[in-house]
């Protein structure tokens, strides 16, 4: 049983095909990804719009490691200038006290006592015929001479039963209990924060954003997120909490704005053999009223998917379709109708063709005659270059096409 997608991702395949990797929306996009030796990921983004405005951000992301956790500290100075300093300090896990185990070749006193007892018994049994007495040869079947029997009372007495001395080795159950105790000790250590992810970013709008994620720790399938933002210029703060819960055939989310309202948006998706049904609702605690609702149905398999959604209080309807024709060709279409503002339906179709394993091309066109094209190529490992253009086919001589470029460097 597979986990269904989130409510917003029911039409994801068609939306990605028609909206993702079209680079004409900005004049230049620049992104640099790197990973420090201590495991912290850094991401620097820059964007230049066609109107001349620029924006950017720097982001540091830490996912828990086996040797402990990292603490981020940010210092801010606003005496005419803004500066952010990120300090990363690893804290190693304290040593765990474990019961010393015996070395592989070390002698065991119980084994020595057992071997000594066996030697004593063999000495007493072997001395029945005397140390200097020769052994009596076996008589052949044809011999009529009777075999002489020993008259030694010690030899005729059977040896005492040998007592079994158990070697002090741990049984399977004891070893399992010891392993569980060690695991519980490690999990109780404050440094062991398995599933913790910390992300901090600073944007050119002078916004300091922090995101803390805890995945599969409170209960299986639950992911908790706490997001905070701080604007030093206006001293504005915001805090949100997101919960994601995934189970076979069920996926639900809750987004709570803690400082405004508070308000909450909850959605849920049910899935069975490719069929999907989802709903979303918003609620304002202070006003005690529902602020919005939406619904969606869909069908999704690896080769194709289709979805119908109704958003904005069931006033905006959309239908989309995605088809993976073969490993090289993908096609999709989307229709949107706003029942409150328009009587016509907007239509958009697009396709993607993979030229080779490292490059692809995409095209799309809508009912207004706006055509867009994009090309992406992996020049070398870690360097991706993309170009995109958009132009109005109905007024090609009046409106200039929009051209954009995208650069991604990964280290």
């Amino acid at each position: 049983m597979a986990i269904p997608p989130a409510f917003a991702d029911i039409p994801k395949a068609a939306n990605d095909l028609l909206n993702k990797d079209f680079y004409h929306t900005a004049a230049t996009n620049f992104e640099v990804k790197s990973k420090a030796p201590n495991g912290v990921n850094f991401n620097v983004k820059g964007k230049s719009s066609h109107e001349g405005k620029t924006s950017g951000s720097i982001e540091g992301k830490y996912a828990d490691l086996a040797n402990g956790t990292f603490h981020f500290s940010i210092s801010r100075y606003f005496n005419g200038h803004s500066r952010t300093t990120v300090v990363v300090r690893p804290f190693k896990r304290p040593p765990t006290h474990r019961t010393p185990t015996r070395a592989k070749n070390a002698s065991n006193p119980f084994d020595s006592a057992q071997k000594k007892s066996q030697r004593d018994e063999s000495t007493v049994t072997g001395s029945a015929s005397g140390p200097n007495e020769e052994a009596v040869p076996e008589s052949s079947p044809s011999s009529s001479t009777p075999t002489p029997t020993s008259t030694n009372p010690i030899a005729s007495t059977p040896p005492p039963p040998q007592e079994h001395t158990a070697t002090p080795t741990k049984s399977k159950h004891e070893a399992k209990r010891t392993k569980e105790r060690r695991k519980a000790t490690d999990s109780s250590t404050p440094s062991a924060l398995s599933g913790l992810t910390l992300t901090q970013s600073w944007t050119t709008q002078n916004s300091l954003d922090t995101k803390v994620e805890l995945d599969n720790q409170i209960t299986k399938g639950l992911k908790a997120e706490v997001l905070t933002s701080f604007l030093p210029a206006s001293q504005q703060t915001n805090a949100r909490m997101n919960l994601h819960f995934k189970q076979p055939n069920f996926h639900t989310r809750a987004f709570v704005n803690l400082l405004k309202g508070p308000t909450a948006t909850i959605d849920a998706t049910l899935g069975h053999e490719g069929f999907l049904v989802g709903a979303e609702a918003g609620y304002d605690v202070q006003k005690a009223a529902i602020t919005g609702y939406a619904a969606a149905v869909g069908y999704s398999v690896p080769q194709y998917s289709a979805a119908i959604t109704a958003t904005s209080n069931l006033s905006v309807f959309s239908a989309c379709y995605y088809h993976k024709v073969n490993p090289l060709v993908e096609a999709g279409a989307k229709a949107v109708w706003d029942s409150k503002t328009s009587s016509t339906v907007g239509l958009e179709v697009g396709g993607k063709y993979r030229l080779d394993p490292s490059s692809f091309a995409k095209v799309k066109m809508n009912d207004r005659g706006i055509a867009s094209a994009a090309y992406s190529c992996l020049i070398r490992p870690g360097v991706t270059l993309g170009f995109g253009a958009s132009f109005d086919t109905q007024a090609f001589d009046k409106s200039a096409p929009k051209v954009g470029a995208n650069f991604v460097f990964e280290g």
Side-chain angles (χ1 to χ4, degrees), residues 17 45 67 98 194 315 333 368:
L17 179 65
K45 296 180 181 180
N67 63 341
R98 297 182 177 179
S194 177
S315 62
R368 300 184 304 274

Side-chain angles (χ1 to χ4, degrees), residues 9-30:
D9 294 336
I10 292 178
K12 186 179 188 306
N15 289 339
D16 287 349
L17 179 65
L18 298 174
N19 300 325
K20 193 176 179 181
D21 297 326
F22 283 98
Y23 310 114
H24 65 274
T25 55
T28 306
N29 281 301
F30 184 84

